[in-house]
Every structure is written in structure tokens, then in C-alpha cells.
Amino acid sequence: MTDGSSPDLASGTVHPGPSRPGADELVQLVDPHGVRHPHGHYDALVADVDGPALQKLYEDMVVVRRIDAEATALQRQGELALWPPLLGQEAAQIGSGRALRSDDFVFSSYRENAVAYCRGVDLADILRVWRGNASSGWDPYTINMATPQVIIGAQTLHATGYAMGILNDGADAVAVTYFGDGATSQGDVNEAMVFAASYQAPVVFFCQNNHWAISEPVGLQAHVPIARRAPGFGIPSVRVDGNDVLACLAVTREALARARSGGGPTFIEAVTYRMGPHTTADDPTRYRDANELEDWAARDPLARLATLLDSLGLLDADYTDSVKATADAVAAELREGCLSMPEPAPSDVFRHVYSAPNSWLDRQQDHYERYLASFGPDGGTPQEGRR
Amino acid sequence: MTTMTFGRAITAGLRRAMDDDPKVILMGEDIGKLGGVFRITDGLQKDFGPHRVLDSPLAEAGIMGTAVGMAYRGYRPVVEIQFDGFVYPAFDQIVCQVAKLHYRTQGAVTMPITIRVPFGGGIGSPEHHSESPEAYFTHTSGLRVVSVSNPQDAYTMIQQAIACNDPVLYFEPKRRYHVKGEVDEAVDPASSDMGAARVITRGTDVTLVTYGPLVPTARDAAVAASDDGTSIEVIDLRSLAPVDFATVEASVRKTGRLVITHEAAQSGGLGAEIAASITERCFDHLEHAPVRVTGFDIPYPYSKLEFHHLPDLDRILDGVDRVMRRPNSLSGLEGGAL
């Protein structure tokens, strides 16, 4: 395991037991074969998840996988400039995303489109930035989720500061920040853990260890399991099977409860795998072994939950048909929202740099608008010569 | 009117802003019990509590990034960067987040963060304690940058910066902290505009533009020049981004000559922007090319040499002589060996 990848999920390194797990234990409630294993600590946290709730989690994962596929297709068709697929990470994002309360606040990277779905984002808003029609997709306060952060790890500090504000307000909301294994090398992430621990801020660090930071394997970022770092900062941590939606739900609920009750931050390492490219501009065949992909395909988060549902008699044709219909409808809405998105006006380039008039910028805008007007009412935008 | 030092005036302004708005919080290193290394936050933690005056871990990016989160939550953080040369670890958060979030979110999220930076030289400090990094920030869209030069402005403008819904870099000339002046604490900060430059000495022959620590030096230069019969109009910019070019332009149209002086290095500095913009705006009114009198393009030097680096009264007057086309000016070497 020279790349520092995680212990094999299927090979018996999982240790469900009666007590709270140690930092290296991988919490797993549903194994890759779809078998539900009892867990002395975490079962209680998902005791309310009955058959219909499991079916809903499955539907969520199918829908976000469909959103991902549709967006990838839109990119290939030239409708999006770029898309960062989440294929393979559905359980980590749905399991954690469905644990949140509406007044919690999410600070994510750019791959958490399934979390945005959980927050109730308008579907077209997910695409706005990738189509190039706006600098971001939505008003963060409408769904209590910041728009995607591109600077790796920067959002972990924002979440920590937001959580410090929650403390000052005497509220019991929680800030949740999503980032990847690559981000854990950033100074910002480490500083965020220092601040979160010092102030005992109600923040959850949700690290999706998807094994790859573009072309760099996780072993280049961390020589030991990433979750081991947090206790050094004074932050309790847990490793969870990131392809097990039920386990992700359980550990996130525990972290949220700790934060709400004054217990401070928690670090979650969700061990998962980026099945697709970093973005649609990436070519993982240049750096990744196809066998590794096959190994992880066998641990697919959707397939294992489908197997579990089937074993419980919850996967009949009516149900699967309805899930497919929902996913198709969502995909159609996404595509329609993309294709009908209004184009920005040229003068929008100047908007919102400041919240008040600015003499430097106003002068530039005035000059540019008069320049554009010089092309006449029809020639408004001099497309020729712009390339 | 109360007589107070420059530093005390900032303290009084902070106190009033905190009194007026419970969302104003202070964040920084050593700003609590110690009151900051320059004592600017002296007594504020005792009076407002540790939840409003936060001693931060020793990490500037962390301070700035958590201030962003606080602003997301509806607070108005005032961040103290201990010394100018310590702002760089926070640079990424300032440039990529603080400056861009309003634009990124199409106005949904405001970043009313004030970043206080004691700056400039002249105090005999070791490396990293005497820098003038303002041009990095005036070049960054989304930020406003101001520098104060006297106790009254220090008092008023810190409140204006805090009330501003856009992020503001507030540069404090640390070598002037102990200068005393009259401060009218009853002044309403909303009654004036921190973006406006101020003509502090009227004159007709040369426009001398400066800000922050060199304002008193420029004023002294104007007095000395008048003894020689040269009438200098001194402008304290106050706002460095945006610069109030209307005020500078009006002056240069009258004098036809422009000298800009700042401690920061010359190349790519704010003086270059002012020279270029004024040349674009009133080329036909100029009697001479604008001249910059600035720090050299060197790392800030060790303290025994710092007064060679910092523009002083004589170097400013040499620049004045040059735009007056007097043969004694030594600063214009274009016609010589170089």
C-alpha cells in the first residue's frame, strides 16, 4: 500500500464492536455486499431509519448520480465549460447532508453537489458557475450553504469563524465544512482546526478522502490515516466507510449532537473514492491503475444499499420505477434549467465588485459602455476580434 | 475637543464603534489583556468582554479566514494585523475571499471587515516591522484602502471603515502613534466621506500628493519651500483605493506640476498609478512630467540605513525642484549617465 490508501474495506480490517471506535477503526454499518452489521455504538444513532427512510436515502443517491451524469453530458455537449463529478461519493454526501438541520450552515468545496441537493438548491443554480453565466450559483442564505469554494481548504476557516459567531449568538446551529484529502495539507485546514479547538467552536470537519487530489494519491498528503491528525489538535475524530450512507449519517449525527451540546468540533474522515476524473478536463488514465477502479467499483455505495433493500423486500419494481422516474424528471429539469439560463449582460461584469459606487470602477464602466455603444444599437457587442 | 495621541484616537474610535453596534468584534494577536503591542485596543477586552475582543491564535490566515466566517454570520470584524510585514500569511484570504465574496455571491454576502495594519518605517525595528505593503491591496479589486495621517482622521475614519459594507484596509502610520492632536469626539462619522482626499496646504506652483506617515513631512516641505518662494499645495489622499482623482486633478490643473511621495518602493507603486492617471486626465495642463519621491526598490533596510530609504523633507524638496526645472535637482538623472 505504497500510496497510503486505506485498509481494504472488504478484507476484514473493519472492527464493529460494542464501544466507541478508536481513531483508526472504520465505522461501517452496511458492508460492500449489502449486509447490515450491528454496531454497539452507532446503531442507536440511526434507530429511526426504517425501511422507507432507507428507500429515501437510496433515491437521493440515485438522483444525485443522475444529476452528475446529466451535468457531465452537458459538459461533453458544450453546454458547460467544466464539471467536477462526484461519482462514487454519493453516500458520503447524502449521508452527511441528510443529517443536517436547515439552520446549520455548510461551507463546501466544489464537488459537494449532492450536499447542495440535500439543502434544497434550485437545480439550475448548481450549473450556473460551470456554464460561466455567473460567478456563483445561489444566495448562500437561502439554503444556508456557501457557494463552492475553489481555493483548496479556504472554506474550513470560514466554517470555523461562522461557528465562532454561532457561539457568540448563543445558538445551537452547527457549521459543517466539506473538503478533500488534498486539502488536509493546506495551512488553512490546519489553522481551522487550531481555532476550532481553541474556541471549542461548533463545527464539523467532514473530509472526503476520495484517494486522489487530481493526480496525487492520498499517500502524498498523509502518511497515516488522516483522521489521526485531529486528536493532535484536541479534536475527536472518526473514520467512516464513506460508501456506506447509513454509517455516514450516523457519524455525522453524532458530531452534530456533540457540537450542539457544547462539545466543540469533530473531524470525520469519510473513506471513499473518486470514480471519475477530477473534472471533465482531467484524464485519470494517465496516472491511475484501472485495477484500483475495479476494486472500488465493487464497493459502490448505491449497489450495496440496493442489495440491502432487496434483502429487506424493499426493492420491488414499483419502487425502482418510481426512483427512476424521479431521477429522469430531475435530470430533465436540470437540462432545461441549463439551456434556458439567461445570458449575462456586458455591464454585469462590473456589478457587485463593491456594495457602493466606486469612482475608479464607475469611470471604467462608463468608458466601456460608451465604447460598446459606439458599435451602434445592433452591434452592441463586438464579438469579432474578441478571441 | 480633546487632545489625544494618534493611537489613543484610534482606540476611542474603536470604542465608539463597539458601543454603537454590538456586531462589531475585534480579532487579533495580543489584543486582549495586553491591549495589542501598540496598545491600540487597551482596555477594550476588559470593558466589552472576551467574546467581543478575541485574542486569536498566532496565525494570520486563520484570523482572516475566521473573520470571513464571522462576517458571513452577520458580524463586523475588525482584524488587527500586528505589523505590516505579518499580513502576508493572510494575503490569500484577503485577496481570494475577503475581496471577492461580494462579487462572487452577486451581492448576497457582504464582507464588512476592517483590517487594521500598523505600517511604515522610522522606528528602528528589525526586518518585517517597517513595511509599506499598500500597493498590493490597492491593486486588488473589491478592497478599499485608506491611510490616516492625524488623530481626528484616525478617530473618524476607523468608524467609517467599520461602518463600510465593503472590506477596508486601514493603514496606521506607526511612527506617528504618539503625535498629539485635537479630536472632536462629537463628530458624526456619517457626515463626511472617507473616500475624499483633503487639501491640507493651499498652493499654486506644485501639487504634492502623499498619505499616512509622510503627511507631516510634506506639510513641513511646503513651509520650507514657501521660504524660497515656491507655493506648494499639499494633498492628503486619505483614501488610497479608490484615489480621489477629482481632487488631485483639480489641483494639478491649477499648478501644472505633480510630485508624489510615499515610503513604499517606487516601481509598480501607488505613485506610478497616480502619475499615470493624472497624466491621462490632464496631460495638456502639465508643465513637467510627474515626479515620484519614494522608498527605493529594496527590501526594507536595517535600521541604521532606514532614513536613507525613507523620503524626507530634503528629498521631497529635491523632487519639487525637479518639476520646477531648477538645475540643482539631483533626483532627475535621465539626462545624465543613466
Side-chain angles (χ1 to χ4, degrees), chain B:
Chain B
M1 284 288 185
T2 312
T3 302
M4 60 177 85
T5 62
F6 202 117
R8 228 11 93 209
I10 302 173
T11 313
L14 288 170
R15 179 179 292 280
R16 183 163 160 197
M18 295 182 78
D19 273 332
D20 289 350
D21 184 351
K23 292 294 188 186
V24 174
I25 54 159
L26 312 189
M27 306 167 73
E29 297 156 5
D30 306 300
I31 67 170
K33 278 187 179 168
L34 183 66
V37 296
F38 292 109
R39 309 291 183 266
I40 303 300
T41 56
D42 187 32
L44 296 178
Q45 189 183 60
K46 180 171 150 289
D47 294 343
F48 291 95
H51 63 294
R52 292 193 65 194
V53 180
L54 284 75
D55 265 328
S56 305
L58 212 166
E60 288 78 9
I63 298 169
M64 200 59 61
T66 52
V68 168
M70 281 281 203
Y72 253 106
R73 182 77 189 172
Y75 285 87
R76 286 185 179 271
V78 182
V79 170
E80 176 173 309
I81 298 294
Q82 196 161 72
F83 280 89
D84 35 58
F86 305 165
V87 75
Y88 308 113
F91 196 68
D92 169 67
Q93 284 286 342
I94 295 173
V95 171
C96 296
Q97 311 298 335
V98 174
K100 292 190 169 87
L101 266 161
H102 190 264
Y103 190 74
R104 184 183 306 149
T105 61
Q106 294 154 85
V109 177
T110 56
M111 281 289 128
I113 299 176
T114 300
I115 304 167
R116 292 181 38 238
V117 187
F119 86 123
I123 63 165
S125 268
E127 201 179 5
H128 312 300
H129 291 71
S130 299
E131 302 189 3
S132 296
E134 59 270 23
Y136 295 119
F137 302 102
T138 60
H139 191 63
T140 300
S141 303
L143 301 176
R144 294 191 61 173
V145 182
V146 300
S147 182
V148 287
S149 69
N150 61 78
Q152 180 70 62
D153 275 357
Y155 173 76
T156 305
M157 287 171 71
I158 189 65
Q159 295 177 67
Q160 292 171 329
I162 292 168
C164 181
N165 283 331
D166 294 315
V168 180
L169 272 288
Y170 179 94
F171 281 99
E172 305 168 5
K174 66 173 90 74
R175 68 164 139 148
R176 307 292 186 194
Y177 274 146
H178 302 293
V179 171
K180 287 184 179 169
E182 292 293 302
V183 174
D184 178 2
E185 290 183 84
V187 72
D188 177 9
S191 68
S192 62
D193 174 11
M194 74 172 176
R198 182 182 294 135
V199 177
I200 58 168
T201 304
R202 292 278 168 195
T204 53
D205 295 331
V206 177
T207 300
L208 175 58
V209 170
T210 190
Y211 53 90
L214 288 181
V215 169
T217 315
R219 190 191 288 115
D220 292 347
V223 171
S226 73
D227 293 343
D228 292 337
T230 305
S231 172
I232 296 182
E233 181 146 297
V234 180
I235 295 178
D236 178 359
L237 284 181
R238 300 174 359 116
S239 175
L240 312 186
V243 166
D244 174 9
F245 280 124
T247 296
V248 180
E249 182 180 345
S251 176
V252 173
R253 281 174 185 266
K254 178 175 67 178
T255 63
R257 300 175 186 88
L258 174 63
V259 174
I260 309 131
T261 184
H262 54 59
E263 291 188 11
Q266 182 166 94
S267 299
L270 197 57
E273 177 55 41
I274 293 167
S277 288
I278 290 300
T279 303
E280 283 176 355
R281 288 169 188 240
C282 46
F283 179 73
D284 289 338
H285 295 265
L286 288 170
E287 302 288 341
H288 190 281
V291 163
R292 292 166 288 169
V293 180
T294 70
F296 304 121
D297 291 352
I298 57 173
Y300 197 86
Y302 34 101
S303 61
K304 286 199 172 169
L305 292 182
E306 69 179 328
F307 288 102
H308 290 282
H309 172 69
L310 295 170
D312 59 12
L313 186 145
D314 289 331
R315 277 179 60 199
I316 291 171
L317 289 177
D318 188 72
V320 168
D321 284 344
R322 188 171 167 208
V323 295
M324 296 297 289
R325 299 180 190 275
R326 290 179 181 138
N328 58 304
S329 170
L330 301 176
S331 62
L333 297 173
E334 281 78 356
L338 291 178

Side-chain angles (χ1 to χ4, degrees), chain A residues 70-83:
Chain A
E70 194 70 17
T72 300
L74 284 165
Q75 193 280 331
R76 294 301 185 226
Q77 291 156 5
E79 300 294 345
L80 299 179
L82 192 72
W83 176 252

Side-chain angles (χ1 to χ4, degrees), chain A residues 311-323:
Chain A
S311 72
L312 298 170
L314 296 169
L315 199 72
D316 60 35
D318 283 352
Y319 169 69
T320 53
D321 287 351
S322 89
V323 169

Side-chain angles (χ1 to χ4, degrees), chain A residues 136-156:
Chain A
S136 69
W138 59 85
D139 174 346
Y141 296 113
T142 59
I143 58 171
N144 281 348
M145 177 169 177
T147 52
Q149 178 58 248
V150 176
I151 300 294
I152 301 299
Q155 74 277 14
T156 58

